[in-house]
Amino acid sequence: MAAPMLRWCCPGRRFAFARVGCGSCHRRGPPTGSTSNGKRGQSSVAQQPHITAQKPRKGEPEWAAVVGLEIHAQIASNSKLFSGSQVCFAAPPNSLVSFFDASLPGTLPVLNRRCVEAAVMTGLALDCHINRKSLFDRKHYFYADLPAGYQITQQRLPIAVNGSLAYSVYVGRKPSQMVTRTVRVKQIQLEQDSGKSLHDDLRSQTLIDLNRAGIGLLELVLEPDMSCGEEAATAVRELQLILQALGTSQANMADYEIQRQINELENGGEILNETRSFDFKLGCTVPMRDKEGKQDYRFMPEPNLPPLLLYDSGSLPSGADPQQVINIDQLRERLPELPRVTRQRLVQQYGMLPEHSCVLLNEVGLLEFFQNVIKETRAEPKKVTSWVLNTFLGFLKQQNLAVSESPVTPSALAELLDLLDRKAISAPAAKQVFEELWRNEGKTPAQIVAEKKLELLQDPEALEQLCRSTLEAHPDVVMDLKRGNPRAINKLIGLVRKATLGRADPTAIKEVLERQLSS
């Protein structure tokens, strides 16, 4: 993933890596430093002319980020892009390497149909134009984990271009303050991955593992239409959901960089054109290698691969072997429900808020959990939504657990909500039962209710008598209520609940108390 860029903000002009207001990337004044020329992978030494810019308004941030992303997503395929080698995570080093992967003389690439279909489906999902003819190129650079000295990619004519990715971001402090924004997708291209270099600092040596060499990648280039790390992270998360829904990639991604660039510029440093990776242990990005200029890659047509031709139903050659051609219209029919459609359906079907539908999709496995609870309970969808997003998800966050690691199953939560729905237990008692379920002692909600004696008090005459006794025993609280203190009623409700050992419904208690006080 490429690093985001900090840009100068002034009317009509955009500059890479410069300060907002009257200043260059190092000190105040017009921007005159090295800038981006807008071409991917190529640095510029051209100087910008003197530009007068307005000073930042009071309260405005001193730096403005303009973020574009270049994302490499590993294609979910059983074999590599141009060879029959198996794709398997954590296999022993160099155990999944064919002669072609090792770049032995005389070996030729054979294109993987599954990888092409994954690229087309991803392009369709992102509203891209699918090129009926795309080309393969060699991208030359020399590194120990790239045995051929070049990667096969699609620089000149990629498989998909000119798409868009819509995502929703929060613009205020309230969750309901959401807006939809769009980032342009410049292109999607097929590319083979390199191997992996394993650096042994103790022995001062580097070991090469070629298991990853030749695995199919989707390279997605997003234009610099985003303005902060939060937007970039949200856009990447939306793309991740799309790829996972399509089944084209497992899409494990991360994004981090803006603050590092700000700190570098503030301290008088320079932003280098380089490839960086994210170190999860350090929590920051670290340099991998210098980013060579476009001319240094020495792009050339791949001589061993003919143009990739795609068809639709109208242009499909008569008598063509379905196994030898790819029909774009057939792939379009196979597209599953995409995340934005799923969110709309949840809002319409269950009456939930848009922000709630976003949370259900963003948390891995949470939507499936919610839908399983819905299938097994008679409770209203709004109540299910509240319990899943507030109580269930809250417990997961406290314990730092994934949905798949939850000790409470959808069936158990559905049974608990049924007890609550038919007023067999009170809401506070339901929370107590949930806490017991979370301890994972193998008991059902009904068993916990029976053992803890949490059944709701069903005798209305008994409740009437308890409320009357409470009013008689606490005349000071009654007087306080009559003087206009609205909190006094809550104290009375608490006293009645204490007398019933928590078995009375607070709403029912309040109704009885108000009726007795008014009589």
Side-chain angles (χ1 to χ4, degrees):
M1 178 183 296
M5 296 163 52
L6 300 177
R7 285 185 170 173
W8 174 281
C9 291
C10 67
R13 303 300 292 264
R14 294 194 299 178
F15 302 92
F17 316 128
R19 183 186 295 272
V20 176
C22 294
S24 68
C25 59
H26 300 301
R27 44 176 70 94
R28 294 192 179 277
T32 58
S34 174
T35 65
S36 169
N37 65 355
K39 294 181 180 180
R40 185 173 64 86
Q42 183 174 0
S43 60
S44 171
V45 294
Q47 300 295 310
Q48 289 290 346
H50 183 91
I51 298 293
T52 301
Q54 298 177 348
K55 292 184 178 180
R57 299 173 184 172
K58 186 177 181 181
E60 285 185 347
E62 190 174 4
W63 293 99
V66 177
V67 185
L69 296 174
E70 179 182 299
I71 299 172
H72 293 81
Q74 181 175 314
I75 298 174
S77 174
N78 293 329
S79 57
K80 297 183 180 181
L81 182 57
F82 296 114
S83 78
S85 297
Q86 183 183 0
V87 175
C88 181
F89 179 73
N94 296 308
S95 62
L96 304 175
V97 184
S98 70
F99 291 157
F100 177 80
D101 302 331
S103 192
L104 296 184
T107 56
L108 294 173
V110 179
L111 184 58
N112 184 332
R113 178 190 179 95
R114 160 62 184 164
C115 294
V116 177
E117 291 179 341
V120 173
M121 293 178 70
T122 302
L124 292 173
L126 295 176
D127 297 324
C128 291
H129 170 73
I130 307 299
N131 286 323
R132 268 51 175 181
K133 176 183 178 180
S134 59
L135 304 174
F136 290 97
D137 306 281
R138 289 186 178 182
K139 176 182 177 181
H140 293 83
Y141 67 91
F142 301 98
Y143 208 72
D145 54 23
L146 191 68
Y150 63 84
Q151 281 179 305
I152 300 179
T153 183
Q154 291 189 305
Q155 173 67 18
R156 294 171 297 160
L157 192 57
I159 196 168
V161 295
N162 300 333
S164 62
L165 171 64
Y167 59 96
S168 298
V169 294
Y170 297 106
V171 295
R173 295 183 179 181
K174 296 181 180 180
S176 59
Q177 295 177 309
M178 296 178 61
V179 296
T180 300
R181 291 178 179 163
T182 302
V183 57
R184 291 169 295 156
V185 179
K186 180 181 179 182
Q187 65 190 58
I188 300 174
Q189 61 195 56
L190 287 165
E191 184 173 277
Q192 61 178 171
D193 205 348
S194 61
K196 183 186 296 184
S197 297
L198 307 172
H199 304 291
D200 188 342
D201 296 331
L202 184 63
R203 299 180 181 180
S204 299
Q205 63 182 6
T206 297
L207 304 177
I208 304 299
D209 180 10
L210 295 181
N211 279 350
R212 196 177 66 185
I215 288 180
L217 299 176
L218 291 175
E219 180 178 320
L220 303 100
V221 181
L222 308 186
E223 299 282 15
D225 298 337
M226 297 165 284
S227 60
C228 65
E230 288 78 10
E231 282 193 27
T234 305
V236 169
R237 178 56 179 150
E238 182 70 13
L239 177 60
Q240 183 181 34
L241 291 172
I242 291 173
L243 295 177
Q244 291 170 344
L246 295 172
T248 56
S249 175
Q250 294 182 355
N252 298 320
M253 305 178 187
D255 180 59
Y256 171 96
E257 175 68 2
I258 291 174
Q259 191 58 46
R260 184 197 71 83
Q261 289 194 21
I262 291 177
N263 295 337
E264 188 74 21
L265 293 169
E266 292 281 7
N267 294 325
E270 181 183 358
I271 305 300
L272 302 177
N273 198 13
E274 61 185 359
T275 299
R276 301 178 67 89
S277 66
F278 186 79
D279 190 310
F280 288 94
K281 293 183 179 179
L282 298 178
C284 63
T285 59
V286 293
M288 292 178 62
R289 60 176 73 100
D290 292 339
K291 188 76 172 178
E292 301 176 76
K294 182 178 179 182
Q295 65 276 11
D296 293 331
Y297 284 131
R298 295 184 293 116
F299 285 102
M300 61 170 284
E302 168 54 60
N304 293 324
L305 285 170
L308 174 59
L309 302 180
L310 305 176
Y311 302 91
D312 54 30
S313 298
S315 62
L316 193 66
S318 58
D321 184 357
Q323 298 300 319
Q324 298 299 320
V325 296
I326 291 180
N327 188 328
I328 298 173
D329 291 333
Q330 287 184 354
L331 293 178
R332 183 179 284 108
E333 294 174 358
R334 286 168 47 187
L335 290 179
E337 182 180 76
L338 296 177
R340 65 176 180 270
V341 179
T342 302
R343 285 190 287 266
Q344 294 171 358
R345 176 176 58 80
L346 291 172
V347 171
Q348 296 173 358
Q349 184 174 355
Y350 301 118
M352 66 176 61
L353 298 174
E355 56 267 29
H356 291 166
S357 67
C358 289
V359 176
L360 284 176
L361 263 74
N362 287 343
E363 296 291 334
V364 177
L366 192 60
L367 176 59
E368 182 181 1
F369 186 96
F370 169 82
Q371 291 175 329
N372 288 334
V373 175
I374 285 285
K375 291 177 184 177
E376 299 187 41
T377 184
R378 297 179 180 177
E380 292 291 328
K382 288 186 178 180
K383 180 168 290 187
V384 177
T385 302
S386 176
W387 270 82
V388 169
L389 296 184
N390 297 324
T391 306
F392 177 73
L393 188 57
F395 273 70
L396 288 177
K397 296 294 186 183
Q398 290 175 6
Q399 302 295 324
N400 195 25
L401 296 176
V403 175
S404 59
E405 300 171 315
S406 167
V408 177
T409 65
S411 298
L413 181 55
E415 182 183 343
L416 174 60
L417 293 179
D418 281 342
L419 292 173
L420 186 60
D421 185 62
R422 66 172 184 260
K423 300 187 184 302
I425 56 175
S426 63
K431 296 291 180 66
Q432 186 176 345
V433 173
F434 186 87
E435 292 174 0
E436 292 292 328
L437 288 171
W438 196 264
R439 296 189 179 95
N440 197 21
E441 297 179 354
K443 298 176 182 177
T444 66
Q447 290 173 334
I448 296 173
V449 169
E451 290 180 5
K452 300 289 184 180
K453 297 182 179 179
L454 298 174
E455 302 93 341
L456 205 60
L457 186 64
Q458 301 292 345
D459 188 349
E461 293 184 2
L463 184 58
E464 290 273 354
Q465 182 58 41
L466 284 171
C467 290
R468 188 174 296 107
S469 300
T470 301
L471 293 176
E472 293 172 354
H474 299 85
D476 53 334
V477 181
V478 175
M479 186 60 66
D480 193 22
L481 179 62
K482 291 182 177 180
R483 288 173 180 169
N485 183 2
R487 297 182 179 179
I489 189 68
N490 294 330
K491 185 172 183 179
L492 290 171
I493 292 172
L495 291 169
V496 176
R497 290 197 69 249
K498 183 177 180 181
T500 62
L501 301 177
R503 296 173 56 201
D505 182 18
T507 304
I509 296 174
K510 185 177 182 181
E511 292 176 356
V512 174
L513 287 173
E514 289 177 343
R515 186 171 64 254
Q516 291 181 352
L517 287 168
S518 62
S519 61

